[in-house]
Amino acid sequence: VKKEEIDTLLQEMKAVGFGPENSESILNVVACPGTSFCSLAVTSSQGAAGVLMKEFGSLAFEKDPALRNLKINISGCPNSCAKHQVADIGFSGGMTEIGGIRRLGYQLYVGGKFNGEVAAGVQIKKGIPDDMVFPTAESVLEIFKEKKFPEEVFPDFVLRIKPEGLSQLLEER
């Protein structure tokens, strides 16, 4: 796109629902194509991302300074096309067994970075049923808001309490 045409392009994109206003906020959940278009995917990462964006939007998380800039990425399988390991909160799709029944599920990662510093997130929970992605993410964010120091951002919070500490707090919830 030529530099002088960028504003026109952005206006036209916004007119059809693709405006950039939330591109740097928690409402910009990154997801791979998932089962919609990928033969390797196990879960519908696009569906999970849609639920998160809708619920986060209804809760106005993008207006909360403590949550606004969090990065959440969801891959539909362990191949990491959405780079779930380098997000603040990442989900990786797979299968899980609950009560002897195999079903779609996710693994939860926290503490990833890809913003000048690079760090791989740590898996803190396995076997999250696909319908529990939003409640799990919401619980992580509630724990953060309850336990963080004033002005502390999520990456620093995870470093301070350690992924295993967050895992324990999440398990208690």
Side-chain angles (χ1 to χ4, degrees):
V1 176
K2 293 179 183 176
K3 190 175 186 176
E4 60 273 7
E5 296 174 3
I6 290 176
D7 287 338
T8 303
L9 174 64
L10 290 175
Q11 288 173 1
E12 290 177 14
M13 288 175 64
K14 188 173 184 176
V16 293
F18 291 106
E21 58 273 352
N22 291 315
S23 65
E24 293 296 321
S25 84
I26 193 170
L27 298 184
N28 184 30
V29 177
V30 175
C32 71
T35 53
S36 299
F37 300 102
C38 179
S39 61
L40 300 176
V42 179
T43 61
S44 175
S45 52
Q46 293 284 313
V51 168
L52 288 178
M53 290 186 294
K54 178 183 174 205
E55 296 296 334
F56 290 168
S58 70
L59 295 170
F61 281 0
E62 79 280 10
K63 292 180 172 65
D64 185 331
L67 304 178
R68 177 172 169 59
N69 296 320
L70 266 118
K71 303 297 179 224
I72 299 178
N73 297 10
I74 305 174
S75 295
C77 75
N79 287 328
S80 188
C81 293
K83 298 177 180 67
H84 59 268
Q85 298 101 327
V86 294
D88 294 310
I89 298 171
F91 290 94
S92 171
M95 295 298 292
T96 188
E97 189 172 313
I98 299 172
I101 299 170
R102 290 186 50 79
R103 56 182 290 191
L104 302 176
Y106 288 89
Q107 293 77 48
L108 172 63
Y109 293 76
V110 296
K113 292 182 184 177
F114 194 66
N115 58 352
E117 286 182 63
V118 178
V122 176
Q123 184 185 81
I124 65 167
K125 186 121 179 79
K126 294 181 182 181
I128 300 167
D130 60 342
D131 59 346
M132 292 298 292
V133 170
F134 170 70
T136 301
E138 183 180 38
S139 291
V140 168
L141 298 176
E142 286 172 354
I143 291 166
F144 165 59
K145 288 181 71 171
E146 290 168 11
K147 306 280 185 186
K148 76 179 191 71
F149 292 149
E151 308 304 316
E152 188 174 35
V153 294
F154 189 79
D156 294 339
F157 171 74
V158 172
L159 282 174
R160 179 173 59 83
I161 70 162
K162 312 253 182 291
E164 54 275 7
L166 182 54
S167 176
Q168 183 178 350
L169 290 169
L170 188 58
E171 195 63 37
E172 290 169 8
R173 226 168 247 253

